[in-house]
Amino acid sequence: MNSGNNGFLLEGRLITPIITKKTHFKIHGCKAMIQNPRRRYYTKIQTAKPMYPYSFICYLGKLTLEYRHESLQNLKHKLITLLQLTHLGKLQGEGLGEIQWTRISFQNKPTDSRVKIKTPKLRIRKGLPLKLSIEQQELLKYALLHDFFHTSKHQSKIYQEPPLTDQSLVKRLQQHHEKTNDPLIRKFQYYDRLAASITRKIRSPVISRYNWQAKRTLQKINFIKLAKNIQEVTNTNIWNLYRYIYESKELKLLNESMNHGHTTLHNHLIVIANLIVQDFERFSAQRKTRTQSN
Amino acid sequence: MAKSVSRSSLKSESLLGILDDVQIAIDSKILKVKVFTSICKPLNGAIPGSNQAHFLKLWTFPYKYKYGKEYKESSATAYFIKGLRGALRHQVMYHCKERGLEVCHTSDKETDRKGKSLLPNGFHLIGSCTESNECIVHAVFGSKRHTSKIRVSANPIANISQKTFQSKYKLQNVHIATEKRVALSYDGGAIQDFGERYFAGEFEFEIDVSKCSLAELGLLIESAMYMQKLGRGYNAGYAQLEVQSLTLVDRIMTRKPILGDNQEFKIEEQISETPLSQEFLNSIAEWTKYVKKSQESPK
């Protein structure tokens, strides 16, 4: 791709507009940019279909292509392939994207030594890792069940509380929005906010708990049955509970919150669980390196 | 070295050797169609804030013209001719139907929501013939996820009144004006009126047929001969075409970088054309054979 000290800059003039949404894009692995862009809208009508005409965004202007590589032979091959092009972009058959190449100028500059900072990506797992301590299992269990219980802020998001036998856990779950000194609840609240900051970027209020996807398919959920199923699964172990939530189609049809309707309840629960697991793995890796160095 | 050479270009001396033997020749077969229209409206849509429907505007450009012994400067705007490929496709469709061939229609649905039929007799749905026996229209024009073989284009049009104009751009000089129309009137005064741009005169468009077989070329030639309409308002008397001439040409376009001032390379284009009159006749003969064969053994 674009790396190395040697490179060339190819310039051309767009005779007919090229269909792109942005003025910066890529052609054959080269950085392309439209200078002095003039926006046009290309409308299209299909006479056979009874539908409204739709339009494409397209641009006119001066097009520049930048390519960098260390070997001169590679530069030559790339230049030959680019000079053979006569049209670019979509709808070439209708005569759009016609280009006339005008100029080449060579560049011999050192590449930037700056390295882009890579932000860690959240990897969503199909199942939980096999080795988990009792504390970790407790936290994950708390995180996966927290939205199914009534609190001072909101009702259960599936309207029904799963009938758990462990009453101390139920009390703790009902307090997950309150200020307490309980270390488990405090730890959970950190992850809950972190997951919300990832998923809740746009505010989109909704009227019903059902998702737009559920409305389209006219599906309805049996909430009493769902609560019973969750209770049965929690009695077995944490791995089964995660697997059940991961595979459940019903939780995908519910909104996560009434103010942020674009995320699902399924997504919210799984993001929290994966954030917790990611942190476990990181700390365990750090500990290993420390012990080896000592 | 000369004094005008900059420091950056001195560094790139080793790179200049790349372009010694670079010369590209693009070979293509092109069918040129010369057409005349009395009034034609291939419009793009209304600009917000105006009542007029416009062509797709490309760019304004300066040009020179001779006024007595002196040269004067002026400017004009260039426009894009839309809908040429669609008009050709419809002509090809109905031409095949007249010959008794079942080919692809443009619609992908048989009926609309109310039960009104969208597919006329003698056609099948677009892209439905790909698995069994591909029809000739699908082979040429393609469909969704199937690229077409041809490319239809025309040089931009402009309205320049001076006959002695000179410009570096390739243009087609036609008459462009607006037609004012009244949709509602009350007591002789217009309540709701709007304008539509139109052009009139001779123009030429090109079909790139370098990927087509002989039979497909014959189909395109024969249907381009009978091309009738382009743009809106055909039933009201607009958009009628008169085909004047058809020529098949082998075009070779060469591109070569040439060293200019300040160590910069300018790309020079040269076009040479040779007529292919024998292939023109052969393709029509091949197309008639194809029609006879398909009529004897229908798919």
Side-chain angles (χ1 to χ4, degrees):
Chain A
M1 289 293 286
N2 291 332
S3 62
N5 293 350
N6 302 326
F8 65 80
L9 199 88
L10 188 65
E11 289 178 22
R13 195 176 70 88
L14 286 163
I15 296 163
T16 50
I18 180 172
I19 294 175
T20 51
K21 284 184 179 176
K22 290 176 182 177
T23 53
H24 297 256
F25 50 96
K26 280 193 174 181
I27 298 166
H28 287 266
C30 307
K31 278 182 186 175
M33 192 175 76
I34 300 169
Q35 291 177 348
N36 303 327
R38 277 161 287 167
R39 190 184 272 195
R40 299 281 183 270
Y41 296 95
Y42 185 82
T43 55
K44 204 164 162 54
I45 306 164
Q46 287 192 336
T47 48
K49 289 179 192 174
M51 60 184 284
Y52 289 106
Y54 54 92
S55 63
F56 295 97
I57 296 168
C58 43
Y59 286 97
L60 278 165
K62 198 169 89 175
L63 189 100
T64 56
L65 289 177
E66 194 187 345
Y67 185 71
R68 287 182 156 274
H69 207 275
E70 281 189 9
S71 77
L72 300 176
Q73 204 62 30
N74 200 315
L75 285 176
K76 191 179 175 180
H77 284 299
K78 184 59 82 176
L79 208 136
I80 288 163
T81 52
L82 289 173
L83 285 176
Q84 282 173 351
L85 297 172
T86 53
H87 289 71
L88 303 168
K90 278 183 184 176
L91 300 178
Q92 291 180 19
E94 294 179 20
L96 288 180
E98 195 180 346
I99 193 155
Q100 189 182 19
W101 300 113
T102 52
R103 203 181 289 176
I104 313 167
S105 56
F106 287 99
Q107 295 177 336
N108 193 352
K109 293 174 189 172
T111 49
D112 287 346
S113 58
R114 287 179 294 175
V115 182
K116 278 187 179 178
I117 300 160
K118 283 184 180 177
T119 50
K121 270 191 175 180
L122 183 69
R123 193 169 64 86
I124 287 169
R125 310 169 66 99
K126 278 186 181 178
L128 292 173
L130 292 170
K131 287 181 182 178
L132 289 170
S133 65
I134 297 162
E135 288 176 1
Q136 289 165 359
Q137 284 184 38
E138 218 173 49
L139 181 59
L140 280 165
K141 196 178 186 182
Y142 191 90
L144 289 170
L145 290 172
H146 77 279
D147 268 339
F148 303 135
F149 288 87
H150 303 307
T151 60
S152 56
K153 261 194 169 182
H154 61 79
Q155 273 196 330
S156 165
K157 287 180 183 176
I158 55 166
Y159 301 106
Q160 298 288 330
E161 284 190 339
L164 296 180
T165 49
D166 191 358
Q167 285 302 317
S168 63
L169 205 151
V170 174
K171 270 191 180 179
R172 273 172 138 188
L173 282 162
Q174 284 168 352
Q175 292 172 354
H176 75 261
H177 277 302
E178 291 170 14
K179 285 182 181 179
T180 54
N181 292 323
D182 193 343
L184 191 138
I185 295 170
R186 279 191 154 195
K187 208 179 269 184
F188 160 75
Q189 281 173 352
Y190 163 73
Y191 286 108
D192 194 15
R193 282 165 198 159
L194 192 67
S197 71
I198 291 165
T199 54
R200 294 179 185 179
K201 282 183 179 174
I202 310 156
R203 189 183 152 83
S204 52
V206 285
I207 302 161
S208 71
R209 180 63 70 185
Y210 279 104
N211 203 355
W212 64 271
Q213 209 167 355
K215 281 178 187 173
R216 198 183 63 178
T217 52
L218 301 170
Q219 286 187 22
K220 286 200 171 180
I221 301 163
N222 188 356
F223 289 107
I224 300 164
K225 197 180 174 183
L226 183 68
K228 271 188 181 178
N229 284 339
I230 289 163
Q231 186 237 344
E232 282 172 13
V233 176
T234 45
N235 288 336
T236 56
N237 56 41
I238 185 71
W239 291 274
N240 283 345
L241 179 64
Y242 181 84
R243 194 76 186 166
Y244 179 79
I245 289 167
Y246 184 83
E247 288 175 357
S248 80
K249 290 175 184 175
E250 289 145 342
L251 294 174
K252 282 179 185 175
L253 303 176
L254 297 171
N255 285 320
E256 192 254 309
S257 76
M258 304 301 272
N259 290 328
H260 301 270
H262 58 272
T263 55
T264 56
L265 184 62
H266 166 266
N267 190 29
H268 177 67
L269 295 174
I270 276 173
V271 166
I272 294 176
N274 280 288
L275 281 169
I276 293 164
V277 171
Q278 199 185 52
D279 279 9
F280 292 158
E281 285 179 344
R282 260 187 223 165
F283 287 127
S284 62
Q286 282 176 11
R287 273 176 204 164
K288 272 183 186 177
T289 50
R290 274 177 203 167
T291 49
Q292 282 171 6
S293 62
N294 291 330
Chain B
M1 292 289 289
K3 282 183 182 179
S4 61
V5 176
S6 62
R7 191 174 287 178
S8 63
S9 62
L10 276 169
K11 283 180 184 174
S12 64
E13 267 180 15
S14 59
L15 297 167
L16 299 180
I18 298 172
L19 295 177
D20 286 343
D21 55 339
V22 171
Q23 189 177 353
I24 288 146
I26 302 162
D27 194 2
S28 54
K29 217 184 288 175
I30 279 161
L31 182 71
K32 288 181 177 181
V33 187
K34 205 173 187 181
V35 194
F36 172 78
T37 54
S38 53
I39 183 162
C40 188
K41 295 191 239 179
L43 299 170
N44 191 41
I47 295 168
S50 76
N51 297 327
Q52 285 185 12
H54 288 259
F55 297 123
L56 183 64
K57 187 187 168 185
L58 295 178
W59 18 264
T60 56
F61 62 94
Y63 68 92
K64 280 183 181 179
Y65 65 95
K66 212 172 183 181
Y67 187 75
K69 289 181 180 178
E70 293 176 348
Y71 276 96
K72 281 193 172 183
E73 283 189 1
S74 186
S75 66
T77 52
Y79 298 98
F80 183 79
I81 305 172
K82 271 184 69 181
L84 282 167
R85 191 175 172 280
L88 182 72
R89 196 210 151 97
H90 276 81
Q91 187 58 44
V92 168
M93 264 164 50
Y94 287 101
H95 191 76
C96 286
K97 194 193 168 186
E98 282 172 12
R99 294 297 179 101
L101 303 176
E102 193 185 297
V103 288
C104 281
H105 197 256
T106 50
S107 78
D108 56 350
K109 284 176 186 172
E110 284 183 5
T111 53
D112 66 348
R113 203 182 282 177
K114 291 173 184 173
K116 191 184 167 187
S117 69
L118 297 169
L119 188 71
N121 290 328
F123 295 107
H124 54 250
L125 293 175
I126 187 167
S128 61
C129 58
T130 50
E131 288 175 1
S132 56
N133 283 317
E134 194 180 17
C135 70
I136 194 160
V137 173
H138 193 273
V140 177
F141 288 92
S143 65
K144 210 172 187 180
R145 293 167 195 164
H146 295 272
T147 51
S148 68
K149 285 181 183 174
I150 60 161
R151 182 185 287 157
V152 187
S153 60
N155 285 333
I157 50 168
N159 189 9
I160 302 167
S161 57
Q162 291 85 11
K163 285 183 181 177
T164 58
F165 81 93
Q166 294 172 358
S167 75
K168 59 179 179 181
Y169 305 113
K170 288 173 189 171
L171 291 164
Q172 302 195 75
N173 195 5
V174 290
H175 171 69
I176 299 172
T178 56
E179 187 202 9
K180 284 185 179 176
R181 298 180 68 180
V182 180
L184 279 170
S185 64
Y186 183 74
D187 282 350
I191 296 167
Q192 193 183 44
D193 52 348
F194 60 97
E196 281 178 338
R197 300 281 279 174
Y198 70 88
F199 78 89
E202 275 185 3
F203 71 98
E204 200 177 56
F205 66 90
E206 296 171 352
I207 310 165
D208 191 340
V209 287
S210 41
K211 290 177 188 171
C212 292
S213 65
L214 272 177
E216 289 163 0
L217 211 165
L219 165 67
L220 285 170
I221 288 167
E222 214 173 73
S223 50
M225 271 185 219
Y226 299 105
M227 221 171 143
Q228 289 176 352
K229 52 185 177 179
L230 173 71
R232 57 171 80 168
Y234 180 71
N235 296 336
Y238 301 96
Q240 289 177 352
L241 301 181
E242 288 176 25
V243 180
Q244 291 184 339
S245 67
L246 288 161
T247 44
L248 188 68
V249 165
D250 184 28
R251 180 183 285 175
I252 298 168
M253 188 166 73
T254 54
R255 282 171 174 170
K256 196 182 178 185
I258 293 166
L259 192 65
D261 300 332
N262 299 327
Q263 297 289 313
E264 277 186 342
F265 283 88
K266 283 183 180 177
I267 297 163
E268 202 180 61
E269 272 187 5
Q270 282 183 344
I271 294 168
S272 64
E273 288 177 349
T274 49
L276 299 168
S277 53
Q278 192 58 44
E279 201 172 335
F280 187 90
L281 297 169
N282 287 345
S283 60
I284 295 167
E286 195 72 26
W287 163 240
T288 47
K289 272 184 193 174
Y290 179 87
V291 172
K292 273 184 184 177
K293 198 185 274 184
S294 56
Q295 281 172 350
E296 285 167 6
S297 60
K299 287 166 188 176

